[in-house]
Amino acid sequence: MPYPTEPLEILGAWVGALLTIFIYSYILWRENYAFRWAEHTYIASTFAVAIVQAIRLIRTNIVAPLMEGDIRYIVPIILGLMFYTLPFRRYRWISRYTVSFLIGIGFGVTVRGALSADIVKQILSSVTAPTGGTAMDWFNFIWVSLGFVFIVSYFTFTVEHKGWYYFPTKIGRYILMLGLGVYFGNTVQFRMAMLSGRVQYLLRVFKIIPWP
Amino acid sequence: MTEAEKSIWIKMAEIDRRIIYWALFLLLAVPFIHPLMLPVSISETTKSLYDFIEGLGPDDIVVIGIQSGVSAWPECLPGLVAVTKHLVSRGVKIIVWGFYTDVDMTMNAIKARVPQLKWPDEEVGPGDYKYGEDWVYVGLIAGGEPSVAALADDLHAVIKADYFGTPIDQIPLLSKVKGAKDIALVITSDTGDYGWYYVRQWNSRYGTPIAEVGIAMIYSEFIPYYRAGQVVGLLKGCRGGAEYETLIKSPGEGIQRMDALNVSHLLTIFFIIIGNIGYFATRKYRR
Amino acid sequence: MAAAWRRPEIFIFIVGVVMGISWLGYFFYLPELDATVKLMQTWAVGIATFALVLGFLSAARIHLYYIRRRTPGMWPFSAWLFFFTAVATIAGLYSETTGFYAWQFKWVYTPLGATLYATTGFYICSAAYRAFRARSLEAGILLVAGILVMLGNCTIGEVLWKDIPTINEWLQLYGQAPFIRSIMVTAALGLILYALRVMAGIERGYLGALGAGGGGG
Amino acid sequence: MVGALNLAMEIIVQGRGFQFVILLMTAIFLYIAYRLLKMGKEIYLRRLPAIDAIEEAIGRAAEMGKPAHYTYGAGGGWGGGLASHQGPQVVASSAILGYVAQLCARYDVRLIVNMMQADAIPLTEEVIRLAYLREGKPEKFDPKIINYFPGQSPMVTGILGTFQRERPAASFHIGGLYYESVVIGEAAKFVGAFLVAGTANTHQLAFIVATSDYVLIGEELYAAAAYISREPMQVASIASEDWVKFILMAITVIGMILESAGIHVISNMLKW
């Protein structure tokens, strides 16, 4: 979108740019009143957005299904209202019904996913040998699957990493470090692109470069 | 090691982070102000598209199909602009259309970066592209693979008028084109499946060469078509755009983004090396 | 003994039943159970919306405290936060697409989200400077792998050394695979054991003072 | 019994059988380990350096008269909150927060908590209130130490402000971390804070390893609660976890050999 033309839009572009500079003044220099003002302005803006969206969410997620006669939706309303007993010392225990309900779902659903995607699928792909692959395919197969076993051996707690058992755990630690290094290096690209995008925005607002 | 020497090494090992942040912040601004044109290795598929267009002239007509949206601009726009600049420099006739809803915005973005393209009401100087004769903008076309096929069979059956509503027979460039046979090259920019529609409906049936200027993800899926010769050129997202800009020696947003990428990575690696040198030089004192 | 409704066992029973239902619904072909789990998940989203108000109250409490106490250097900003939130919320309730709410959404909320995310660019650079020190063989592996991938991702790497792209590709496709796979498996096991401990009432942290009687957390 | 078994066999959803076996096996191992411990058998437990570092960090904060900072990160802040896929990490982290709060109460260190998981506020208050109760200072607990932010980026802004205004001597970010892991890690190091971080999100492990003094990687986040309490049943769960790990490692190695030889018994078992 090219350089804004109407005054309100130009003002907006400048406000966005100034707030960005105030936030970066924290990083490029140190915490200061300008940063603190930008911090509180941004947090206030996110509160406003959160409140407006929460009201809309309550209307669509809770009230609307209820209106359609689905009385079972009374339950989230009751459980939700039970949250508000927290500030009152005598009735605070009531809020634990809701907390227990949420924790139950959280673990219930996550364990299902963990068992299927994180354990069985990973081990299945670790055992599946390459079909008629080249030497490189076989090397990769052994590297990934044995590497996986070595790193898992490093994560054992009730066995002392000594004697013959020291070697798989040590190799596992090296392969772990390799994975961390690759992951770190790979993320630099996307994050630097985000930062260069912000620098471009600032240069455009302050008319140092054209905004086609 | 004298006191002064030791302090240099220690300084290298413990640089105040704000020096790193300032260096990164300023260096990231440089490519936008003055492109550094850091060397970009040219991949084979980009060179192949460049050579193909080098072989085209003023009596060839090329179609640019825009099927990538505004959100894909960072990856597709540099390539589209660079290819358009190359076509304009060779006087090749251009027809632009798109099956994507915000095709008009992409058209305006390309036009803002290729000043030779003129709208009907703009006056035309030497070397400029006169609307209707040198280039035409048809705008949004609806439909999926069937309408891509219909365009290849008989352009006039699908397109009744251009973006401004002037009927097709009053536009000299469009009246010369019956269908895929009269088109020298189709350049399609995709985030989705339209690229394959052009390959299946235009290339397999009429032999019209296709070139894909899409997002990096589409690149790997088009490699087999390139190997088979159906696709004469492939630009891999923003990097492909930077390579093409290097070939036509006109730096644009592709090179700016690649410069920013190179600068930020090289700076990070530079500080890592400095840190290690300082660390090893002063390791004696640490133990 | 505490009234029946306040005993820790009640809450442990709720967590256990809810977890049990979702597992049974998953492992066994019991469509109605699976349906109730999906329904409960939509309820959870609804409940979380109610919790937002708790968050707003606790934040308001802190900023009001600063204003009342006139904490130097903080209360003017807290007052400004209240003012801005109030004006933007009222504007937002009036209309989300025009007026001050839309303006601040477009020129404060959105750009600053990108601004904050982009701070990762600064910090990833200084983190690399500090962490990639070849103190030991392990740290050396971390360093070499990181640099190789960084060179591979930027276009200049290929110009410096021809094989960098192939090395980069191998590292990303196969080099890091064992690391990711092993963390997924071990983290999943840790999660399952934690869930079993919560179900068995060993892990009672979430009960707070009520759980003080029993063991755990 | 056999009838029930057949019934169960029929209605097990195809493809999820082995997953159910793993869950059952884990639960049985847990019970066996617990019985062994009850019979007085000693189980070796490798030290978890990050947990020992927590006491050291709070002690350091007490000496310097500076506060300690704690955050769950952004995980569990969207959608269903505690009921989302990141919820369990918030719950596991709250157990560690309880331990940190208890040490803060003991050494009179001011604790600052920044969080964005609204539905975890009651859980957080309960855990800290219990910690102060356990140290016999229930009146010292002040709910205002919990700062809520309605989003990831605003929370990061708030945390950056906290770091340079309060200058905490110790900072803990444990839970479902996202991009804030590198930002908070470096900003905390900039003010000289002692840093303990932990997450099960693989995409952030590289950054907490790079920026923190001590780290809880993946499973260690969940095992931390067992390490802190040292309850027999908790230690038993770590033991049973290891036994399952050894079985999975064996299955992988045997599977590799058999599959290479073309015998698909292991992969069929996994797919059962």
Side-chain angles (χ1 to χ4, degrees):
Chain A
M1 56 160 192
Y3 203 93
T5 46
E6 329 126 56
L8 258 184
E9 293 293 297
I10 295 171
L11 172 69
W14 277 75
V15 163
L18 276 179
L19 287 172
T20 299
I21 287 185
F22 288 164
I23 296 280
Y24 285 164
S25 71
Y26 173 96
I27 298 170
L28 296 168
W29 178 41
R30 61 172 176 73
E31 206 265 349
N32 53 70
Y33 278 155
F35 166 80
R36 209 171 295 179
W37 180 74
E39 171 193 355
H40 284 79
T41 308
Y42 179 49
I43 291 171
S45 164
T46 49
F47 267 118
V49 169
I51 294 169
V52 168
Q53 285 175 348
I55 291 166
R56 186 159 31 89
L57 265 175
I58 287 184
R59 248 206 263 96
T60 50
N61 283 12
I62 307 296
V63 176
L66 208 58
M67 286 310 155
E68 285 142 20
D70 187 345
I71 49 107
R72 283 175 307 176
Y73 268 80
I74 281 285
V75 175
I77 291 178
I78 297 168
L79 284 173
L81 290 175
M82 284 157 90
F83 263 139
Y84 301 149
T85 60
L86 187 66
F88 311 103
R89 220 175 62 74
R90 280 172 49 75
Y91 304 104
R92 180 167 300 139
W93 57 274
I94 297 175
S95 66
R96 289 200 190 93
Y97 282 98
T98 317
V99 173
S100 310
F101 177 76
L102 290 175
I103 289 177
I105 301 172
F107 277 102
V109 170
T110 325
V111 165
R112 298 179 348 180
L115 275 167
S116 62
D118 294 352
I119 295 181
V120 171
K121 199 157 69 65
Q122 297 306 325
I123 292 180
L124 191 60
S125 54
S126 301
V127 292
T128 335
T131 49
T134 61
M136 194 54 191
D137 289 337
W138 281 95
F139 169 75
N140 289 338
F141 169 62
I142 290 162
W143 159 264
V144 173
S145 299
L146 269 190
F148 158 68
V149 171
F150 287 147
I151 299 178
V152 171
S153 75
Y154 168 72
F155 278 108
T156 47
F157 300 101
T158 55
V159 178
E160 282 191 78
H161 295 182
K162 357 210 247 329
W164 67 273
Y165 193 61
Y166 170 79
F167 296 102
T169 57
K170 196 62 184 171
I171 298 165
R173 191 169 162 74
Y174 291 144
I175 301 172
L176 176 66
M177 279 299 172
L178 176 76
L180 289 169
V182 170
Y183 219 99
F184 192 106
N186 210 13
T187 324
V188 175
Q189 176 179 357
F190 179 68
R191 291 181 170 175
M192 290 304 186
M194 290 297 292
L195 185 56
S196 84
R198 287 288 82 196
V199 169
Q200 185 178 34
Y201 170 73
L202 292 176
L203 293 173
R204 280 177 166 171
V205 170
F206 299 133
K207 288 198 161 64
I208 299 165
I209 56 171
W211 192 343
Chain B
M1 275 245 252
T2 64
E3 212 46 51
E5 263 169 21
K6 198 173 76 178
S7 69
I8 296 167
W9 298 119
I10 286 181
K11 275 211 189 67
M12 285 167 85
E14 266 116 36
I15 295 174
D16 179 333
R17 273 186 215 78
R18 280 169 291 197
I19 294 169
I20 298 176
Y21 301 147
W22 271 108
L24 183 62
F25 193 62
L26 297 176
L27 272 176
L28 277 178
V30 167
F32 295 114
I33 299 164
H34 176 70
L36 305 167
M37 299 277 289
L38 292 173
V40 177
S41 53
I42 310 295
S43 57
E44 174 203 331
T45 54
T46 309
K47 188 73 173 67
S48 152
L49 177 57
Y50 179 81
D51 297 340
F52 186 89
I53 292 180
E54 278 292 294
L56 298 180
D59 41 25
D60 292 310
I61 302 169
V62 162
V63 162
I64 297 182
I66 298 169
Q67 288 79 229
S68 58
V70 174
S71 59
W73 274 5
E75 287 221 56
C76 301
L77 197 57
L80 277 171
V81 168
V83 168
T84 311
K85 277 182 186 165
H86 192 198
L87 292 170
V88 165
S89 68
R90 301 203 54 75
V92 178
K93 303 287 179 285
I94 302 173
I95 302 173
V96 184
W97 64 48
F99 289 82
Y100 217 87
T101 44
D102 50 18
V103 63
D104 299 344
M105 293 175 71
T106 310
M107 181 67 241
N108 290 332
I110 295 173
K111 190 173 174 312
R113 293 165 174 79
V114 185
Q116 292 95 333
L117 299 177
K118 298 294 178 198
W119 289 127
D121 47 7
E122 288 167 334
E123 54 86 26
V124 180
D128 285 349
Y129 262 43
K130 186 167 187 345
Y131 189 80
E133 279 163 25
D134 300 327
W135 80 290
V136 168
Y137 177 50
V138 174
L140 178 64
I141 304 175
E145 190 156 1
S147 49
V148 172
L151 279 168
D153 305 335
D154 176 5
L155 203 77
H156 296 261
V158 178
I159 300 174
K160 292 292 173 250
D162 72 351
Y163 176 72
F164 300 97
T166 28
I168 200 160
D169 41 26
Q170 289 168 17
I171 304 168
L173 179 56
L174 279 185
S175 54
K176 272 191 287 185
V177 175
K178 294 291 167 288
K181 290 188 299 307
D182 313 324
I183 299 295
L185 170 70
V186 171
I187 297 160
T188 166
S189 168
D190 296 283
T191 53
D193 303 336
Y194 275 87
W196 288 298
Y197 301 164
Y198 284 111
V199 171
R200 280 199 290 268
Q201 301 307 336
W202 285 60
N203 181 270
S204 322
R205 290 168 55 220
Y206 293 95
T208 322
I210 309 289
E212 171 64 46
V213 176
I215 55 173
M217 221 175 24
I218 293 271
Y219 176 85
S220 33
E221 287 149 26
F222 263 74
I223 289 289
Y225 295 109
Y226 174 77
R227 294 270 179 275
Q230 292 177 287
V231 164
V232 295
L234 277 172
L235 295 191
K236 183 177 183 185
C238 170
R239 181 187 171 133
E243 288 168 19
Y244 210 90
E245 283 167 8
T246 316
L247 286 171
I248 59 170
K249 297 185 184 48
S250 131
E253 272 147 3
I255 285 190
Q256 279 174 356
R257 198 171 286 279
M258 281 303 131
D259 282 347
L261 186 79
N262 283 318
V263 153
S264 52
H265 279 65
L266 290 178
L267 187 76
T268 309
I269 292 168
F270 167 74
F271 277 116
I272 292 171
I273 293 166
I274 293 278
N276 274 287
I277 294 169
Y279 171 76
F280 281 111
T282 56
R283 205 161 55 155
K284 290 193 288 305
Y285 298 95
R286 273 201 183 69
R287 234 199 300 284
Chain C
M1 274 318 283
W5 295 114
R6 300 183 53 168
R7 292 185 45 72
E9 287 70 18
I10 294 280
F11 304 106
I12 295 166
F13 175 74
I14 294 171
V15 175
V17 162
V18 171
M19 233 191 281
I21 289 172
S22 61
W23 290 350
L24 288 176
Y26 173 75
F27 288 119
F28 300 104
Y29 201 67
L30 304 164
E32 347 58 55
L33 264 187
D34 224 15
T36 41
V37 172
K38 288 201 175 36
L39 185 67
M40 287 197 288
Q41 279 182 292
T42 52
W43 289 352
V45 176
I47 296 169
T49 322
F50 277 94
L52 287 176
V53 177
L54 269 184
F56 302 148
L57 290 180
S58 75
R61 185 171 47 193
I62 295 161
H63 290 290
L64 275 178
Y65 174 77
Y66 285 139
I67 296 171
R68 231 188 7 265
R69 282 256 323 252
R70 292 282 190 286
T71 340
M74 283 311 282
W75 77 270
F77 297 101
S78 294
W80 162 253
L81 182 137
F82 260 105
F83 170 72
F84 190 99
T85 308
V87 169
T89 307
I90 293 161
L93 294 178
Y94 182 69
S95 106
E96 283 187 43
T97 50
T98 58
F100 178 67
Y101 179 84
W103 183 84
Q104 67 91 22
F105 191 92
K106 184 177 179 185
W107 295 113
V108 175
Y109 182 77
T110 320
L112 280 186
T115 298
L116 261 303
Y117 187 88
T119 58
T120 51
F122 287 119
Y123 287 122
I124 206 169
C125 195
S126 64
Y129 165 70
R130 247 175 9 87
F132 283 6
R133 294 274 169 86
R135 295 181 191 81
S136 61
L137 179 56
E138 285 153 22
I141 294 172
L142 188 85
L143 165 69
V144 169
I147 287 186
L148 277 177
V149 168
M150 270 193 256
L151 283 177
N153 282 345
C154 61
T155 57
I156 215 154
E158 215 173 329
V159 177
L160 299 176
W161 176 25
K162 196 168 53 42
D163 310 333
I164 285 233
T166 36
I167 296 170
N168 182 25
E169 203 184 328
W170 184 85
L171 283 173
Q172 295 199 27
L173 287 177
Y174 298 102
Q176 64 179 347
F179 149 67
I180 295 176
R181 196 168 288 179
S182 59
I183 300 293
M184 284 173 86
V185 171
T186 50
L189 272 176
L191 166 76
I192 294 167
L193 260 304
Y194 198 97
L196 289 175
R197 293 203 304 261
V198 168
M199 197 180 219
I202 307 156
E203 203 56 59
R204 294 167 171 244
Y206 65 96
L207 293 178
L210 244 180
Chain D
M1 194 27 210
V2 172
L5 204 63
N6 292 347
L7 175 67
M9 292 300 281
E10 268 129 40
I11 57 169
I12 272 199
V13 175
Q14 217 293 328
R16 294 180 182 167
F18 188 70
Q19 293 165 30
F20 184 64
V21 163
I22 293 178
L23 186 62
L24 218 57
M25 183 168 63
T26 315
I28 294 164
F29 282 160
L30 179 60
Y31 183 71
I32 294 169
Y34 181 67
R35 295 280 354 133
L36 286 173
L37 272 169
K38 274 294 172 210
M39 288 188 293
K41 180 180 183 313
E42 257 308 304
I43 291 184
Y44 165 81
L45 206 55
R46 173 162 66 93
R47 292 307 314 146
L48 201 54
I51 298 303
D52 309 333
I54 291 179
E55 182 136 18
E56 180 194 333
I58 304 290
R60 186 169 173 272
E63 278 154 35
M64 300 160 78
K66 287 196 181 149
H69 169 257
Y70 197 100
T71 180
Y72 293 133
W78 299 286
L82 283 174
S84 71
H85 281 274
Q86 296 286 315
Q89 286 183 75
V90 174
V91 176
S93 176
S94 71
I96 302 168
L97 170 60
Y99 177 59
V100 166
Q102 201 169 334
L103 290 170
C104 286
R106 189 179 305 163
Y107 296 120
D108 279 331
V109 168
R110 189 161 60 89
L111 177 63
I112 304 164
V113 177
N114 287 319
M115 61 189 287
M116 62 170 273
Q117 298 84 352
D119 63 351
I121 289 177
L123 171 68
T124 309
E125 263 194 31
E126 289 304 312
V127 157
I128 299 173
R129 180 173 289 115
L130 173 64
Y132 277 86
L133 189 70
R134 280 226 170 95
E135 288 300 314
K137 305 174 180 171
E139 75 294 345
K140 279 264 178 51
F141 167 65
D142 163 15
K144 283 199 292 301
I145 60 173
I146 298 172
N147 301 297
Y148 168 76
F149 297 91
Q152 179 181 24
S153 291
M155 180 177 77
V156 167
T157 323
I159 290 175
L160 291 179
T162 310
F163 279 152
Q164 291 216 2
R165 285 195 289 268
E166 313 275 355
R167 293 211 167 262
S171 177
F172 305 91
H173 41 271
I174 299 168
L177 299 178
Y178 284 81
Y179 86 76
E180 68 278 355
S181 61
V182 69
V183 177
I184 299 173
E186 277 300 295
K189 269 293 148 209
F190 191 75
V191 294
F194 187 91
L195 213 52
V196 178
T199 184
N201 294 348
T202 50
H203 47 81
Q204 296 307 321
L205 287 175
F207 301 107
I208 60 173
V209 165
T211 56
S212 333
D213 298 303
Y214 285 90
V215 175
L216 289 167
I217 296 180
E219 174 194 12
E220 293 167 348
L221 164 63
Y222 295 109
Y227 268 84
I228 290 169
S229 72
R230 277 264 180 248
E231 295 286 326
M233 197 46 167
Q234 299 270 23
V235 174
S237 75
I238 303 288
S240 63
E241 213 171 305
D242 271 7
W243 297 343
V244 175
K245 247 175 263 171
F246 284 117
I247 289 177
L248 293 181
M249 284 196 270
I251 289 175
T252 308
V253 173
I254 297 163
M256 280 171 66
I257 298 161
L258 292 181
E259 290 290 316
S260 318
I263 305 158
H264 296 302
V265 67
I266 296 281
S267 54
N268 294 340
M269 179 185 77
L270 289 168
K271 290 185 198 134
W272 167 58

